[in-house]
Amino acid sequence: MSDRARDEARLGWWLAGPAFVVMVAVTIYPILQAFYDSLFSYRLTAPGDKAFNGGQNYVVVLSDPVWWQAFWVTALITVITVLVELVLGFLLALVMHRAIRSLRGVLRTAILVPYGIITVVSAFAWFYAFDISSGFVNHWFDWVPGIDPDLNWFAHQGTSLFVIMASEIWKTTPFISLLLLAGLSQVAGELEEAAEVDGATWAQRLQRVVLPNMKAAIMVAVLFRALDAFRIFDNVFIMTNGANGTTVLSLLAYRTSIGRLEIGLGSAISVLLFLCVIGICFIAIKLFKVDLASARGEG
Amino acid sequence: MRTLTTRMKVWWAVITVVVMVWALLPVVSIIATSFKLPSQLNLGTFWPKTWTTTNYEQIFAGSAKDLFLPALRNSIGISLIATFVAVVLATLAAYAIARLDFRGKRLILTTALGVSIFPVISIVTPLFNLWRSIGLYDTWLGLIIPYLSLTLPISIWTLAAFFRQIPWELEQAAQVDGATPWQAFRKAIVPLAAPGVFTTALIAFFIAWNDFVYGISLTSTSAARPVPAALAFFTGASQFEEPTGAISAAAVVVTVPVVILVLLFQRQIVSGLTQGAVKG
């Protein structure tokens, strides 16, 4: 290694090192601590009793139907919201892509509004809209089959999950559509024109030219949204707080460790959630052969 | 430019209206709720029968003042500091990544990616415990530090994407023309880098402003509790009063400035988000 290269490497680490150290400190340390704590019978209400109990916490959690219920609800929310967001986001991206300049500006402005709103506020907005006594949904939409003015959305699992998922989709579809629009703008242009000259129909161009070239953008959007959805917390906490079978994994972890001060059990749930997230990444990388780093911008 | 037939114009109008209603209805609905009298909350109508600013008076001067104002101060202070620290650290790192050739670039970017997929709840449980024992629980610093786990990774990715597009040769060209290295950097590079840094700061600020899990887990009083967490613990003036109006008013107050920021800088934000996320 030449002196110059060594100097450059040293300067590089001096500049990037602090960011690196902070990132490691604020995430790696806590997750290792969580792993450690998850192996102890440890509750803050009786801190003196902290005792190593091997994998006992994991046995307790995994044999508890409450955990499995939360797991399946979280998985269901993730799969449905990501699918709907992908379809809606793609439609929206297509609309914006085809729209004339002035309309494109209006549409982009409108869909950036959900992006700028904090999740807690959007959760309250949706909660109030669907509230049986004060919300407008029951009154406006009572002509829709299944909606009557006396329908209490938050009294049942299915309808509660519907509102939770609707708010999640509303909040995050804009982000997906912007990503897809960026992908679309790159692909379109020349490739699409060439295909058009060759006489390809709109559907053919979409299927043969646009979609294959957007694969990376779509996969990244799906993966990141899936990871986000799996950690869903804010809107569930505000709207139902887990009532009627709407407890998700994050909420269960929060309630166990910070609510009931069962640090050992709560840590085990946190670690399991972390492993699920890692699992989603692993599946995505294997299944779609996504090179995350290159798709995210490393040249 | 394509010319539109009347039928296509109608279609575009319909599509635009549908998208706008979908995007704006929940926002307009909470604004409408914030102007309703408590006694009229249960009419089920969309617009208030009579418009009132009672709810706003309640959060700024009335019974909910002590809940809302400290939370607003905490949110602004903590988010700004977390944003500032993240952007400074990320600017240095992104400069090194874009400009210098050294092993470990990929490690730093991969770490940033890894950190951004960490579930907040997995981080917060051990922090809750540690912060309580070292006295950071319910303090500004106790939130600023974990907020870096949210703001730093995206800042690094966004800035690295911005900085890669800067033609760094300009700096040398300026030096050839007789500028000192510092002058060359300041006059040629800083103006090109500044918009990227500003955009990154905006995005990081939104993310900090949006936090809820850290906010409710690591605070217990108005000493550090930020607005999203405070909203979740809002109770009415008396225990028997529904806090709907006050919450809606508070929600509007913390939403409107941020939405205005988003709309003012929409071009930059969209390019920042998409560049950081997908190769530009």
Side-chain angles (χ1 to χ4, degrees):
Chain A
M1 196 189 262
S2 71
D3 279 356
R4 202 168 162 261
R6 199 172 300 133
D7 281 353
E8 207 162 300
R10 190 174 300 151
L11 180 60
W13 273 108
W14 271 112
L15 292 172
F20 182 73
V21 170
V22 170
M23 285 193 296
V24 170
V26 291
T27 50
I28 307 294
Y29 155 71
I31 204 72
L32 290 177
Q33 183 71 42
F35 268 112
Y36 178 80
D37 286 341
S38 73
L39 299 174
F40 288 80
S41 114
Y42 180 21
R43 52 182 57 151
L44 284 186
T45 45
D49 290 348
K50 184 172 180 175
F52 183 79
N53 70 356
Q56 194 56 39
N57 290 331
Y58 291 93
V59 176
V60 171
V61 170
L62 289 174
S63 57
D64 186 351
V66 172
W67 188 86
W68 285 101
Q69 155 102 353
F71 175 82
W72 288 117
V73 165
T74 312
L76 181 79
I77 290 176
T78 304
V79 171
I80 293 182
T81 56
V82 171
L83 283 180
V84 175
E85 281 167 22
L86 193 63
V87 173
L88 276 183
F90 195 73
L91 283 178
L92 206 50
L94 276 181
V95 164
M96 286 196 285
H97 185 61
R98 306 289 298 181
I100 53 169
R101 194 174 285 270
S102 57
L103 277 188
R104 194 185 300 186
V106 172
L107 292 172
R108 193 176 64 182
T109 305
I111 66 163
L112 270 173
V113 169
Y115 173 76
I117 285 182
I118 56 181
T119 318
V120 168
V121 168
S122 85
F124 274 117
W126 284 81
F127 178 69
Y128 292 151
F130 282 86
D131 185 50
I132 182 172
S133 58
S134 60
F136 66 89
V137 171
N138 286 20
H139 298 264
W140 274 17
F141 295 100
D142 56 2
W143 48 272
V144 178
I147 301 185
D148 70 76
D150 298 323
L151 173 61
N152 186 347
W153 293 82
F154 299 103
H156 318 279
Q157 186 189 32
T159 48
S160 299
L161 286 178
F162 172 82
V163 182
I164 288 168
M165 288 192 277
S167 74
E168 182 82 359
I169 290 165
W170 178 79
K171 182 81 175 67
T172 49
T173 301
F175 179 63
I176 288 210
S177 71
L178 290 175
L179 284 191
L180 296 182
L181 178 63
L184 212 51
S185 318
Q186 277 172 43
V187 179
E190 287 171 32
L191 271 176
E192 225 188 329
E193 262 171 44
E196 198 167 4
V197 170
D198 291 344
T201 65
W202 191 77
Q204 281 173 331
R205 294 202 305 271
L206 190 65
Q207 194 198 340
R208 306 256 170 86
V209 181
V210 176
L211 283 179
N213 279 291
M214 288 183 62
K215 203 179 142 213
I218 294 173
M219 290 311 161
V220 171
V222 168
L223 176 58
F224 277 83
R225 276 304 310 143
L227 293 173
D228 253 5
F230 211 83
R231 298 174 284 183
I232 185 170
F233 183 85
D234 307 13
N235 34 8
V236 182
F237 185 97
I238 297 294
M239 289 200 250
T240 65
N241 202 6
N244 302 312
T246 57
T247 301
V248 289
L249 286 176
S250 290
L251 189 57
L252 187 64
Y254 171 81
R255 240 199 246 134
T256 311
S257 42
I258 289 157
R260 297 207 314 267
L261 302 176
E262 297 263 15
I263 301 293
L265 279 177
S267 297
I269 298 171
S270 298
V271 168
L272 288 171
L273 177 63
F274 177 71
L275 294 179
C276 289
V277 164
I278 299 285
I280 292 176
C281 283
F282 190 74
I283 292 169
I285 290 165
K286 282 276 170 216
L287 208 60
F288 307 132
K289 300 189 171 57
V290 182
D291 181 357
L292 282 178
S294 73
R296 265 219 122 186
E298 194 182 354
Chain B
M1 178 67 37
R2 289 166 286 148
T3 44
L4 294 175
T5 61
T6 315
R7 224 185 78 182
M8 282 183 74
K9 275 184 189 159
V10 171
W11 267 114
W12 276 113
V14 171
I15 290 173
T16 310
V17 169
V18 168
V19 172
M20 285 186 70
V21 168
W22 174 70
L24 302 180
L25 191 61
V27 187
V28 178
S29 121
I30 204 153
I31 294 174
T33 307
S34 75
F35 287 105
K36 283 179 185 168
L37 277 171
S39 58
Q40 295 181 351
L41 279 170
N42 287 344
L43 298 180
T45 55
F46 187 83
W47 298 109
K49 279 266 190 300
T50 36
W51 294 70
T52 171
T53 53
T54 314
N55 299 315
Y56 290 89
E57 282 158 25
Q58 204 190 340
I59 58 166
F60 280 115
S63 53
K65 182 182 72 171
D66 296 334
L67 274 170
F68 182 67
L69 290 181
L72 191 61
R73 198 189 56 218
N74 294 335
S75 263
I76 294 172
I78 293 169
S79 299
L80 281 179
I81 296 172
T83 301
F84 179 77
V85 174
V87 169
V88 168
L89 293 179
T91 302
L92 297 177
Y95 175 82
I97 288 164
R99 187 64 203 282
L100 304 173
D101 191 25
F102 68 107
R103 280 149 58 110
K105 270 189 206 188
R106 207 180 157 87
L107 173 68
I108 291 160
L109 284 170
T110 313
T111 306
L113 194 66
V115 167
S116 67
I117 66 164
F118 267 67
V120 170
I121 202 76
S122 305
I123 300 177
V124 86
T125 305
L127 284 188
F128 169 73
N129 214 354
L130 178 68
W131 274 193
R132 283 160 56 99
S133 55
I134 64 174
L136 282 180
Y137 183 72
D138 206 22
T139 64
W140 277 28
L141 192 58
L143 280 186
I144 291 167
I145 294 170
Y147 276 13
L148 292 176
S149 75
L150 306 172
T151 53
L152 199 46
I154 191 153
S155 300
I156 291 177
W157 275 101
T158 314
L159 273 174
F162 270 119
F163 282 8
R164 276 206 199 89
Q165 294 177 343
I166 292 178
W168 296 97
E169 306 80 40
L170 277 181
E171 203 181 350
Q172 283 173 339
Q175 283 191 50
V176 170
D177 289 347
T180 65
W182 173 241
Q183 276 176 332
F185 181 75
R186 198 166 54 90
K187 297 239 165 91
I189 300 301
V190 171
L192 289 174
V197 175
F198 176 75
T199 304
T200 306
L202 270 180
I203 294 172
F205 181 79
F206 293 148
I207 290 171
W209 192 248
N210 190 33
D211 159 74
F212 182 60
V213 180
Y214 288 133
I216 55 168
S217 307
L218 301 177
T219 65
S220 58
T221 68
S222 61
R225 182 174 285 161
V227 171
L231 287 179
F233 295 112
F234 243 58
T235 42
S238 75
Q239 273 197 306
F240 306 101
E241 194 184 325
E242 271 290 303
T244 307
I247 287 179
S248 301
V252 171
V253 172
V254 297
T255 299
V256 168
V258 176
V259 168
I260 289 174
L261 271 183
V262 172
L263 298 183
L264 276 181
F265 299 104
Q266 50 168 308
R267 223 165 262 286
Q268 291 88 322
I269 289 170
V270 169
S271 73
L273 285 175
T274 49
Q275 276 181 357
V278 182
K279 192 172 182 171

